[in-house]
Amino acid sequence: MLAQRHLLRPAARLRRSRRVGTGASRRLWLFDLDNTLHNTSHAIFPLIDAGMTRAVEQALGVDTATANSLRREYWKRYGATVIGLVKHHGVDADEFLRSSHDFDVRPLIRSESGLAAKLRRLPGRKVLLTNAPFHYARAVLRHMGLLRQFESLWSIEHMRWHGGFRPKPSPALLRHVLAREGASPRDTVLVEDTLANLRGARRAGLRTVHVFHPGTPFASGLRQRPAYVDLRVNSVSELLLSRRPLR
């Protein structure tokens, strides 16, 4: 229980007003981070991959090939490598998340220009919902000048209750987030580059926006918009121009 309270502290430090408006201002936008708000494939994903492999090697005392195999297997099975390491090997989640994302994001970030102003123009409340670690997500938002655009930040550390992690694409996670944020599914939109996460959001009754990025796994072969995606865009700028289908 102490560990869970510790994991919940970071979001409390970032949380701001949760006032619920009317009309368009009632909408809650849940934004993913990587390959949604910035181009992680440009330079950051290779460092994350290398950092995770190195952290698995250190945590389990295995060689690089074994670490790579386990990292990919747990990511595919659970949605986050750290879950498999905790579940099957008793690895300390906080230590693994710190060591696997131990690099300076500032020279690596590439994103749309004027993104803070664009988010301000989007009616409704904005919350970040990412399977990435808190310290990494906050560093990225701070460098991009976006911290003040989000009322709260949900990272992988905050997706743990009842003795286990429940990251995206878990519909249970989304229902939990909406309950904490005081929003209903019909007023909430998940903006995300990963289709599996959007499928989970639709199961929870949310509206969905697919931010297409060719660097996202399994994205390159996609030729048409899946039925569980309400809108497909290539950028936040395009989302601003295409709000009507979500009303």
Side-chain angles (χ1 to χ4, degrees):
M1 190 66 174
L2 287 175
Q4 186 169 347
R5 285 200 297 268
H6 170 70
L7 289 171
L8 290 173
R9 286 174 189 161
R13 290 201 298 267
L14 188 66
R15 186 173 299 283
R16 299 187 176 92
S17 169
R18 280 185 7 190
R19 292 174 296 178
V20 177
T22 58
S25 65
R26 288 183 60 88
R27 175 151 290 167
L28 176 66
W29 299 91
L30 301 177
F31 276 89
D32 179 48
L33 179 64
D34 292 337
N35 276 354
T36 297
L37 293 176
H38 71 122
N39 184 358
T40 321
S41 296
H42 165 62
I44 292 180
F45 269 161
L47 287 181
I48 292 176
D49 285 346
M52 283 199 167
T53 298
R54 185 173 59 252
V56 173
E57 289 176 9
Q58 295 170 351
L60 303 184
V62 297
D63 59 28
T64 300
T66 302
N68 269 322
S69 177
L70 288 172
R71 176 174 63 82
R72 295 189 182 108
E73 176 187 347
Y74 292 153
W75 178 77
K76 288 180 181 177
R77 187 188 303 182
Y78 301 113
T81 299
V82 66
I83 298 177
L85 294 174
V86 171
K87 184 180 181 68
H88 298 289
H89 307 278
V91 168
D92 180 88
D94 289 341
E95 178 59 32
F96 176 81
L97 293 170
R98 282 193 298 270
S99 62
S100 62
H101 290 69
D102 185 21
F103 55 88
D104 184 3
V105 302
R106 290 174 294 178
L108 307 172
I109 293 175
R110 177 179 290 180
S111 64
E112 290 183 65
S113 61
L115 191 53
K118 293 172 182 177
L119 288 174
R120 282 195 297 270
R121 288 171 51 199
L122 198 62
R125 300 181 293 137
K126 292 92 180 178
V127 165
L128 193 82
L129 183 67
T130 176
N131 284 0
F134 178 81
H135 76 277
Y136 161 80
R138 183 163 184 166
V140 170
L141 291 180
R142 182 187 292 115
H143 183 66
M144 294 173 66
L146 299 182
L147 262 180
R148 297 192 62 80
Q149 302 308 313
F150 292 93
E151 293 188 358
S152 57
L153 187 162
W154 291 76
S155 63
I156 187 68
E157 290 96 331
H158 314 111
M159 301 175 183
R160 185 176 186 176
W161 67 93
H162 300 314
F165 284 94
R166 302 289 188 274
K168 295 182 294 184
S170 167
L173 163 73
L174 293 167
R175 287 190 286 267
H176 178 71
V177 170
L178 265 57
R180 293 288 300 273
E181 296 293 340
S184 68
R186 67 178 178 273
D187 292 326
T188 303
V189 183
L190 177 64
V191 184
E192 165 83 53
D193 68 304
T194 302
L195 287 170
N197 295 341
L198 293 169
R199 189 184 300 113
R202 175 49 51 85
R203 289 173 181 163
L206 280 66
R207 308 305 298 272
T208 56
V209 174
H210 179 214
V211 179
F212 176 78
H213 193 291
T216 297
F218 313 114
S220 59
L222 183 68
R223 297 188 179 276
Q224 57 186 343
R225 176 175 61 86
Y228 54 83
V229 169
D230 293 304
L231 180 67
R232 178 179 170 180
V233 298
N234 294 303
S235 65
V236 174
S237 297
E238 191 174 334
L239 173 61
L240 282 168
L241 298 173
S242 309
R243 290 201 305 271
R244 186 174 301 275
L246 295 173
R247 291 176 180 171

